[in-house]
Amino acid sequence: MKIILLGPPGAGKGTQSAKLTEIAKIPALSTGDMLRTAVREGTKVGIEAKSFMDSGKLVPDEVVIKIVKEFLESDACKDGCILDGMPRTLKQAEMLEQLGINIDVALSLDLADSEIEKRMSSRRVCPVCGAVFSMAVNPPKFADVCDHCSAGLIIRDDDKPETVRKRLAVYHAETEPIIGYYRARGKLKEIDASVSIDETTKALISVLGIG
Ligand code: AMP
């Protein structure tokens, strides 16, 4: 089963993708994580992507599709996979279709902008192992220290309030139309993401008919 997770930044796509990976036993790809790794490692893709990401804009479609294509065609995906943060534009959705990649279900995590701004201002990430914390609902045991590897936690550059507002504007203009694209194909399932992490996971499991 090929699943895509749609929804605004901060709706919990990364968190739910990790849960679904465990439950459905299929791998997940987060284009945001892959791009951040590329930036950290200073690869060609990373150098190209950095300025777009830091300013809250989308990385060009051609750059992203190259990364995703490799993953989707790999052996790891033969039993299915989860795409988190991709497609992000109608063009990317069309590119997937043109590559012959058939999406079975598009799960849309719905959350109001005001709640997103609140959530993102409380997010802290570990720059070493990638763990994500929320100072509001899932705080680290010791303030600003990663529970898993003890590195100092940071605020992602793109979680700063001005950038969050810019990312939301980009989401509404460029990504939201994808919801209609998958609805028209009968593949859209909408989930209320304003509830707790566990309740959202339960709703996803029920919609997918797994677990
Ligand atoms: P995320 O972690 O999914 O919120 O992504 C962080 C940033 O990475 C976004 O604000 C974009 O700059 C970039 N990005 C991630 N996925 C994509 C994508 N599918 N298309 C274009 N840019 C992306």
Side-chain angles (χ1 to χ4, degrees), residues 11 34 63 65 110 123 129 173 176 187 191 203:
M34 284 194 80
V63 175
I65 202 85
D110 300 338
R123 179 153 72 180
C129 74
E176 215 163 41
K187 296 186 172 170
I191 285 100

Side-chain angles (χ1 to χ4, degrees), residues 4-11 13 31 56-59 61 64 83-94 106-110 166-183 188 190:
I4 62 176
L5 275 173
L6 297 173
K13 298 188 296 295
T31 45
K57 293 188 191 140
L58 293 180
V59 174
D61 295 327
V64 177
L83 284 180
D84 156 18
M86 155 84 198
R88 243 353 196 266
T89 61
L90 271 181
K91 171 108 182 280
Q92 289 179 15
E94 286 161 6
L107 303 168
S108 174
L109 298 180
D110 300 338
K166 167 83 189 161
R167 290 172 72 194
L168 280 172
V170 168
Y171 172 77
H172 291 304
E174 300 196 46
T175 307
E176 215 163 41
I178 299 180
I179 291 177
Y181 178 91
Y182 287 108
R183 184 182 287 123
L188 185 76
E190 291 179 276

Side-chain angles (χ1 to χ4, degrees), residues 8 111-118 164 168-169 171-172 176:
L111 194 63
D113 285 8
S114 54
E115 185 58 27
I116 288 164
E117 288 187 32
K118 245 194 274 165
V164 168
L168 280 172
Y171 172 77
H172 291 304
E176 215 163 41

Side-chain angles (χ1 to χ4, degrees), residues 23-44:
I23 298 162
K25 308 267 181 283
I26 52 175
L29 174 90
S30 154
T31 45
D33 282 350
M34 284 194 80
L35 290 166
R36 275 185 289 279
T37 302
V39 169
R40 234 182 1 252
E41 291 175 351
T43 65
K44 194 165 163 265

Side-chain angles (χ1 to χ4, degrees):
M1 176 153 43
K2 287 196 173 61
I3 301 169
I4 62 176
L5 275 173
L6 297 173
K13 298 188 296 295
T15 305
Q16 296 303 333
S17 160
K19 300 245 180 205
L20 290 180
T21 293
E22 254 177 52
I23 298 162
K25 308 267 181 283
I26 52 175
L29 174 90
S30 154
T31 45
D33 282 350
M34 284 194 80
L35 290 166
R36 275 185 289 279
T37 302
V39 169
R40 234 182 1 252
E41 291 175 351
T43 65
K44 194 165 163 265
V45 165
I47 292 164
E48 214 175 333
K50 186 175 186 334
S51 61
F52 293 99
M53 295 174 78
D54 284 350
S55 60
K57 293 188 191 140
L58 293 180
V59 174
D61 295 327
E62 291 69 23
V63 175
V64 177
I65 202 85
K66 239 188 273 167
I67 304 178
V68 174
K69 185 173 182 284
E70 244 170 63
F71 171 75
L72 289 170
E73 289 174 355
S74 72
D75 234 28
C77 284
K78 65 180 182 340
D79 296 327
C81 64
I82 301 162
L83 284 180
D84 156 18
M86 155 84 198
R88 243 353 196 266
T89 61
L90 271 181
K91 171 108 182 280
Q92 289 179 15
E94 286 161 6
M95 282 169 139
L96 286 180
E97 211 169 87
Q98 279 155 17
L99 285 172
I101 293 156
N102 180 41
I103 300 299
D104 297 287
V105 57
L107 303 168
S108 174
L109 298 180
D110 300 338
L111 194 63
D113 285 8
S114 54
E115 185 58 27
I116 288 164
E117 288 187 32
K118 245 194 274 165
R119 281 193 190 181
M120 288 173 91
S121 64
S122 79
R123 179 153 72 180
R124 300 290 181 276
V125 296
C126 174
V128 176
C129 74
V132 181
F133 301 87
S134 157
M135 301 314 275
V137 294
N138 167 33
K141 288 195 193 85
F142 301 101
D144 292 329
V145 176
C146 179
D147 286 357
H148 310 289
C149 69
S150 303
L153 299 178
I154 56 164
I155 300 177
R156 264 167 51 177
D157 277 343
D158 59 355
D159 278 349
K160 304 209 163 117
E162 327 76 72
T163 317
V164 168
R165 279 192 285 277
K166 167 83 189 161
R167 290 172 72 194
L168 280 172
V170 168
Y171 172 77
H172 291 304
E174 300 196 46
T175 307
E176 215 163 41
I178 299 180
I179 291 177
Y181 178 91
Y182 287 108
R183 184 182 287 123
R185 285 159 177 73
K187 296 186 172 170
L188 185 76
K189 305 278 181 200
E190 291 179 276
I191 285 100
D192 174 13
S194 69
V195 293
S196 71
I197 292 175
D198 286 347
E199 283 171 297
T200 306
T201 309
K202 264 193 212 144
L204 290 169
I205 290 172
S206 146
V207 154
L208 290 171
I210 57 171

